[in-house]
C-alpha cells in the first residue's frame, strides 16, 4: 500500500480560516503584522465583529489560544461563520472535539466549506462514515480543495473507484499535491495492468500528475517521475528528479540515483548515495553496497552490508550472503543463508539451494526446491527441472518444463524444445523455437537452425554464362553467427561454404579457427586445403592432429603421404589406424593399402 505522503499541518487541513472576507478569496498576507494586529484590535474593541474574527484568527495562528478564544466567541455570537469555524479549531486543539464539532456544524450550515470539511473529518475519525461523506461532499461540491481530497480518500477506502478518481482529480486540478500524487499512482497501476496501446496514454497522464506533485515538493512523486523517465531513457532528467527526491530524504530515490551513477561509470558517487539510502534503512541500497565491496574483494565489508539489507527486511541480503559464502567455498553457511531466503519466498535462493543440494548428491532434497522456485516464476529453476527429468529419462516431463522456461525467454530451454520437435519430425515448430534460442544468443541453436534451413535450400541457380550466382542465404548467416560465437561445427561449415565459393583464404581462416579449438573435421579440411595449395608437410601436421583425435580419413591421408615418401612402416601404422577408425569406406581402402604395404615390406 502506498504511503500517502507527509502529514498535513493544522493549517493545511483547512480547519483553520483566517477571516470571513478571505475564506473563499484567499487574500494576501499583510506586510506589517504588528500594525495590522493593532488596527484589528482597535476595531474589535469598537465592536466590529469582522475585526474580532480576524484578530482571533491571528492570535490562533500564533498559538495564543487564551487570547483568541474571547474574540472568536464574540465574533461567532455576531454571526461570523469564519469565526465559528476557527472557534471549532481552537476547541479541537484543546481536546474538546464534540464542542468543536458543534461550532463547525453551525459554520457549515451557514455555508463554510472549510467547516464542512473539518466536520466531515471529525465524523470520519469517529467512525461515522455516512455523516463524514455527507459533510465532505458538501465541502467538495463548494470547491474546497481539501474537502475534495478527503472525500476521495473516504471513497477509496469504501472501494468506490469512479468516485475516488473524480474527486482526487478535482483536488489535483486545484493544486493539491498529495491528490496529484495519488491520482498518478492510480493511473500508473492501471497502466501496468493494461495492454501496451491502452497503457501508454495512462502513463503519459500519470507523468503529468507526478510532475505537478513533484514541482510542489512531493518527494515520492519526484521518485516515480524519475522512474518513468529512466524507463524511457531520459536519464539526465531522471537523475535530476531522483536527486531532488533524495535531497528531501527519500531513500529509494537515493538508491535509484546510485544505480544511475553506477551505470554511468561513477561508482564513487554511486556509493555515496547508496550509503545515504542504506543508513535510512533501504535494503536495496545495502545490497548494492555489499555487491560493490564484494567486487573489490572486501568480503567482510560486503557481508556487513548484506546483513544490514537483511535486517532492513530485504530477502536479497540473505541470498547474497549465500552467494558470497558459496564463492568462498563455505558450503554449509551458503546452504543456511539460501534456506533462510528460500523459506522467505526468494525464488532464486530456492533455485540456488537446489543446485547446492544436487551437487552434494541430494537429488531428493533438490527437486522440491527446484519445483518451489519454478512455481514462483524462476525461469532457471524450470530449466533445471527439465534437466533433472531428462536425466531420469522422463522426456515428456522434461519437455513440459523446457517449454515453460522457453516461454519465459530461456534460450537454452528453447533449444531443447526445438531439438525435441526436430526428433518428432515437426520441423515448423522446431524452427520457431530454434529461432527464439538463436536470437537469444545460443550458438548451438543458430547452428541447428542453419542446418534446418540448409536442408530445404534449393540448388543455386546458374548464371547465363554458366557461372554460379553467389548470394548469401539465410542459413549461411546463421552458420556465420554460430561460428563467430565459437561453434566449431559451424566454423567448419562456414569454411566449406567459403571453399565452395573459391575463397581459399576465408575457408582456411575458419578451418584453422575450428581446428585450434579442437575440431578434428576442421583440422582435416585445413589439411586438404593446404595440400591442394601445395603445402603437404603442413597439411600432414593438421592431419596428424585430426587422426590423433579419431578422424579415420585423416589417418588414411597420412598413410598415403608416408607411402609416397617411401616410409612404408609409418604408412602401414597409419593404415592400421585408419582401418580401425572407419567409417566403412575408409576401413576398406585402408585395409587394401595396409596389405599392399605389408607385401612391399616383406618382399
Amino acid at each position: 500500500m502506498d504511503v500517502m505522503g507527509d502529514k498535513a499541518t493544522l493549517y493545511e487541513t483547512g480547519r483553520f480560516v483566517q477571516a470571513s472576507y478571505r475564506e473563499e478569496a484567499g487574500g494576501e498576507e499583510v506586510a506589517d503584522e504588528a500594525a495590522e494586529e493593532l488596527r484589528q484590535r482597535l476595531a474589535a474593541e469598537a465592536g466590529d465583529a469582522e475585526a474580532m474574527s480576524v484578530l482571533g484568527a491571528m492570535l490562533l495562528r500564533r498559538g495564543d489560544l487564551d487570547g483568541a478564544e474571547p474574540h472568536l466567541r464574540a465574533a461567532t455570537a455576531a454571526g461570523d461563520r469564519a469565526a465559528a469555524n476557527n472557534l471549532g479549531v481552537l476547541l479541537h486543539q484543546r481536546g474538546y472535539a464534540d464542542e468543536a464539532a458543534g461550532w463547525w456544524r453551525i459554520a457549515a450550515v451557514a455555508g463554510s466549506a472549510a467547516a464542512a470539511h473539518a466536520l466531515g473529518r471529525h465524523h470520519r475519525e469517529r467512525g461515522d462514515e455516512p455523516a463524514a461523506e455527507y459533510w465532505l461532499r458538501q465541502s467538495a461540491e463548494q470547491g474546497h480543495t481539501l474537502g475534495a481530497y478527503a472525500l476521495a480518500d473516504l471513497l477509496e477506502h469504501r472501494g468506490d473507484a469512479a468516485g475516488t478518481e473524480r474527486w482526487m482529480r478535482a483536488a489535483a486540478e486545484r493544486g493539491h499535491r498529495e491528490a496529484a500524487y495519488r491520482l498518478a499512482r492510480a493511473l500508473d497501476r492501471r497502466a501496468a495492468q493494461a495492454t501496451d496501446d491502452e497503457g501508454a496514454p495512462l502513463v503519459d497522464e500519470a507523468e503529468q500528475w507526478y510532475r505537478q506533485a513533484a514541482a510542489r515538493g512531493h518527494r515520492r512523486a519526484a521518485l516515480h517521475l524519475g522512474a518513468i523517465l529512466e524507463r524511457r531513457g531520459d536519464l539526465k532528467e531522471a537523475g535530476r528528479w531522483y536527486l531532488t527526491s533524495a535531497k528531501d530524504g527519500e531513500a529509494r530515490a537515493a538508491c535509484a540515483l546510485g544505480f544511475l551513477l553506477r551505470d554511468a561509470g561513477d561508482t564513487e558517487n554511486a556509493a555515496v548515495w547508496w550509503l545515504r539510502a542504506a543508513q535510512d534503512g533501504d535494503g536495496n541500497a545495502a545490497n548494492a553496497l555489499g555487491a560493490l565491496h564484494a567486487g573489490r574483494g572486501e568480503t567482510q565489508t560486503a557481508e556487513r552490508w548484506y546483513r544490514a539489507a537483511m535486517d532492513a527486511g530485504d530477502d536479497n541480503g540473505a541470498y547474497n550472503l549465500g552467494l558470497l559464502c558459496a564463492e568462498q567455498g563455505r558450503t554449509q553457511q551458503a546452504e543456511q543463508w539460501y534456506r533462510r531466503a528460500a523459506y522467505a519466498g526468494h525464488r532464486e535462493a530456492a533455485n540456488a539451494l537446489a543446485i547446492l543440494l544436487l551437487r552434494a548428491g541430494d537429488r531428493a532434497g533438490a527437486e522440491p526446491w527446484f519445483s518451489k522456485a519454478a512455481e514462483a516464476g524462476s525461469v532457471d529453476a524450470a530449466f533445471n527441472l527439465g534437466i533433472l527429468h531428462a536425466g531420469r529419462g522422463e522426456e515428456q516431463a522434461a519437455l513440459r518444463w523446457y517449454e515453460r522456461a522457453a516461454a519465459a525467454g530461456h534460450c537454452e530451454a528453447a533449444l531443447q524444445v526445438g531439438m525435441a520437435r526436430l526428433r518428432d519430425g515437426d520441423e515448423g515448430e522446431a524452427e520457431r523455437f530454434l529461432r527464439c534460442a538463436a536470437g537469444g544468443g545460443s550458438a548451438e541453436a543458430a547452428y541447428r537452425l542453419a542446418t534446418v534451413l540448409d536442408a530445404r535450400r534449393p540448388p543455386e541457380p546458374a548464371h547465363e554464362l554458366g557461372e554460379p550466382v553467389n548470394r548469401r542465404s539465410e542459413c549461411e548467416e546463421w552458420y556465420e553467427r554460430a561460428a563467430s560465437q565459437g561453434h566449431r561445427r559451424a566454423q567448419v561449415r562456414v569454411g566449406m561454404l567459403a571453399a565452395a565459393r573459391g575463397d581459399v583464404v576465408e575457408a582456411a581462416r575458419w578451418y584453422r579457427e575450428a581446428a585450434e579449438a579442437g575440431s578434428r573435421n576442421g583440422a582435416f579440411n585445413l589439411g586438404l586445403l593446404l595440400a591442394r595449395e601445395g603445402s603437404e608437410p603442413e597439411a600432414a601436421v593438421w592431419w596428424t592432429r585430426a587422426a590423433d583425435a579419431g578422424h579415420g580419413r585423416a589417418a588414411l591421408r597420412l598413410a598415403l603421404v608416408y607411402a609416397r615418401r617411401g616410409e612404408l612402416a609409418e604408412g602401414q601404422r597409419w593404415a592400421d589406424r585408419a582401418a580401425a577408425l572407419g567409417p566403412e569406406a575408409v576401413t576398406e581402402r585402408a585395409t587394401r593399402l595396409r596389405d599392399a604395404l605389408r607385401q612391399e615390406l616383406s618382399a
Side-chain angles (χ1 to χ4, degrees), residues 482-517:
S484 65
Q485 291 176 262
H487 194 287
R488 294 180 301 180
R489 292 164 70 188
Q491 289 169 341
V492 172
R493 184 64 182 142
V494 172
M496 292 170 67
L497 291 169
R501 292 195 302 268
D503 191 344
V504 177
V505 174
E506 184 71 1
R509 181 174 74 85
W510 284 112
Y511 287 151
R512 189 180 299 278
E513 199 163 325
E516 289 175 347

Side-chain angles (χ1 to χ4, degrees), residues 190-361:
R190 278 170 51 195
Q193 296 169 356
T195 62
D196 290 343
D197 290 340
E198 295 171 344
L202 293 171
V203 172
D204 290 342
E205 187 181 0
E207 180 185 341
Q208 297 310 310
W209 290 116
Y210 281 138
R211 282 187 184 278
Q212 178 172 309
R216 286 175 166 81
H218 198 293
R219 66 187 192 188
R220 290 183 182 86
L223 166 66
H224 289 288
L225 177 57
I228 287 177
L229 293 166
E230 183 180 0
R231 287 195 299 271
R232 189 189 297 158
D234 295 338
L235 302 184
K236 191 171 182 179
E237 188 180 1
R240 287 201 299 270
W241 285 112
Y242 283 149
L243 180 61
T244 298
S245 181
K247 285 181 175 178
D248 286 340
E250 181 58 51
R252 289 177 295 169
C255 180
L257 180 58
F259 281 111
L260 270 189
L261 291 166
R262 181 205 62 183
D263 293 343
D266 188 356
T267 55
E268 293 305 316
N269 278 314
V272 170
W273 287 105
W274 282 333
L275 178 61
R276 183 168 175 172
Q279 288 173 339
D280 286 339
D282 190 284
N284 195 22
N287 273 313
L289 280 172
L292 185 66
H293 288 288
R296 295 171 178 171
E298 301 164 355
T299 55
Q300 288 186 335
T301 307
E303 185 170 337
R304 180 168 62 84
W305 282 114
Y306 288 147
R307 287 180 183 274
M310 198 168 53
D311 292 340
D314 193 324
D315 298 328
N316 282 315
Y319 173 57
N320 288 331
L321 275 170
L323 291 174
L324 192 66
C325 292
E327 288 172 2
Q328 295 173 337
R330 296 153 58 194
T331 307
Q332 188 174 357
Q333 291 94 327
E335 182 181 339
Q336 290 173 354
W337 290 118
Y338 284 149
R339 281 189 187 277
R340 177 164 177 171
Y343 277 122
H346 195 294
R347 65 190 187 191
E348 296 309 326
N351 181 55
L353 175 60
I355 292 171
L356 204 65
L357 294 171
L358 193 62
R359 287 174 179 166

Side-chain angles (χ1 to χ4, degrees), residues 108-156:
V109 169
S112 171
H117 165 245
L119 187 57
R121 290 281 299 271
H122 168 79
H123 283 298
R124 188 173 182 191
E125 289 165 4
R126 291 291 189 274
D128 187 353
E129 290 194 0
E133 182 180 352
Y134 174 82
W135 288 110
L136 291 175
R137 194 174 292 277
Q138 293 293 316
S139 175
E141 287 176 351
Q142 290 181 65
H144 193 274
T145 301
L146 295 173
Y149 173 72
L151 177 60
D153 186 65
L154 175 62
L155 294 174
E156 183 179 56

